[in-house]
Amino acid sequence: MPEDVSKGVADGRYLLVDVREPNEVAAEAFPDAVVVALSTFDPKAIPDPEGKQVVFACRSGKRSVTASMAAQAGGLAYDKHLAGGILAWKAVGLPTRTGG
């Protein structure tokens, strides 16, 4: 699935929302994600996806599920997440960046 998410972001179909903490993002980040940290998670902080599907991501896939459920509880139909998180992303050779 990381390849599908990467292609979807590149094609403009997905908005990737990284829910990891700022220190984690500063160390290593998804190239084209917006950051809405789970520790202070507010579904309203997610930018308008403008027709794209929102996909949550974290380190291993646990926090992204929590964020998805919190967004749904807030009335948003955001039910997709990146299984395996940034670990799976890197495992298939997709790029990351540093400097948050």
Side-chain angles (χ1 to χ4, degrees):
M1 179 161 175
E3 299 93 339
D4 176 56
V5 172
S6 176
K7 185 172 183 345
V9 170
D11 293 347
R13 291 182 291 120
Y14 294 152
L15 173 65
L16 192 59
V17 178
D18 189 345
V19 299
R20 296 174 305 137
E21 299 308 309
N23 63 312
E24 293 176 279
V25 175
E28 186 168 44
F30 294 97
D32 298 301
V34 297
V35 178
V36 182
L38 187 61
S39 64
T40 56
F41 189 74
D42 179 354
K44 295 182 197 67
I46 300 167
D48 180 351
E50 298 173 353
K52 299 176 186 176
Q53 282 194 304
V54 169
V55 178
F56 293 104
C58 62
R59 180 179 168 273
S60 65
K62 290 185 178 76
R63 285 176 284 177
S64 56
V65 170
T66 302
S68 172
M69 291 189 299
Q72 291 172 59
L76 300 169
Y78 300 160
D79 61 356
K80 296 202 175 321
H81 82 108
L82 175 59
I86 202 166
L87 297 177
W89 183 272
K90 292 191 306 184
V92 296
L94 291 169
T96 59
R97 64 179 172 83
T98 55

